[in-house]
Amino acid sequence: PAPRPILRRTTVIAPADMTAFARVTGDFNPIHTSYNAARVAGMDAPLVHGMWLSATAQQAAAAADPDGADRSG
């Protein structure tokens, strides 16, 4: 099958510290909040919460008009 065309590109920057989001969600898994835990798992930095990423993706999708115009700004 042919590749799908790119509808639009969006760049987001995750917070450097996800502790506030951990408080809201109750997910205090250190892989999301601790650089030491991330290093033990073989990563350079903590992983962003999946719920944060999902909410950010939904916001990016909702910010576009049906014709693809950006309404986020």
Side-chain angles (χ1 to χ4, degrees):
R4 292 194 239 176
I6 295 174
L7 298 177
R8 91 178 212 187
R9 291 188 188 272
T10 301
T11 300
V12 296
I13 299 171
D17 183 355
M18 294 296 290
T19 304
F21 193 80
R23 285 188 186 116
V24 170
T25 64
D27 182 353
F28 287 96
N29 185 330
I31 200 71
H32 299 304
T33 57
S34 168
Y35 277 82
N36 289 333
R39 284 188 204 99
V40 167
M43 295 173 283
D44 294 329
L47 292 175
V48 172
H49 281 81
M51 288 191 300
W52 183 91
L53 187 56
S54 176
T56 301
Q58 290 176 46
Q59 175 61 35
D65 282 333
D67 65 354
D70 186 357
R71 297 187 306 152
S72 62

